[in-house]
Amino acid sequence: MSGEFELVLKKAVELDPLFIIHGGDTVYTGKKEYLEHFVKVVEKIAPNIPVFVCVGNHDELYLDESNLENFRATIGKVH
């Protein structure tokens, strides 16, 4: 994640939304440490706003195979 997401999230928070929907691909690969960093950024910038995250192909991709376990453990339940 570069600084663009943080800037967009800060702008969204200024609008005082009821919730935020992230369209997916929060990270380049679904490595747990990358997903944890995403969660820390969201908790820091938008601690009181529910953020719903769609699973993107990069969120589930870990190494060369599909794996949703890191996403489930870090972001939450997949529906």
Side-chain angles (χ1 to χ4, degrees):
M1 247 192 306
S2 56
E4 288 86 7
F5 173 69
E6 289 90 340
L7 292 173
V8 170
L9 189 58
K10 287 177 184 176
K11 288 292 183 188
V13 169
E14 288 175 10
L15 298 172
D16 194 27
L18 294 176
F19 58 88
I20 296 171
I21 298 175
H22 189 291
D25 287 349
T26 60
V27 293
Y28 183 68
T29 68
K31 236 177 149 176
K32 193 167 185 177
E33 64 197 58
Y34 298 157
L35 293 164
E36 288 171 345
H37 176 71
F38 171 81
V39 170
K40 286 179 188 175
V41 168
V42 170
E43 288 176 343
K44 177 181 156 195
I45 297 174
N48 300 314
I49 301 171
V51 176
F52 299 95
V53 181
C54 299
V55 180
N57 63 317
H58 289 263
D59 298 315
E60 65 151 332
L61 185 65
Y62 184 64
L63 302 175
D64 291 328
E65 58 190 53
S66 176
N67 179 352
L68 289 176
E69 292 307 312
N70 289 341
F71 187 90
R72 283 187 191 109
T74 310
I75 306 290
K77 197 174 189 179
V78 177
H79 298 280

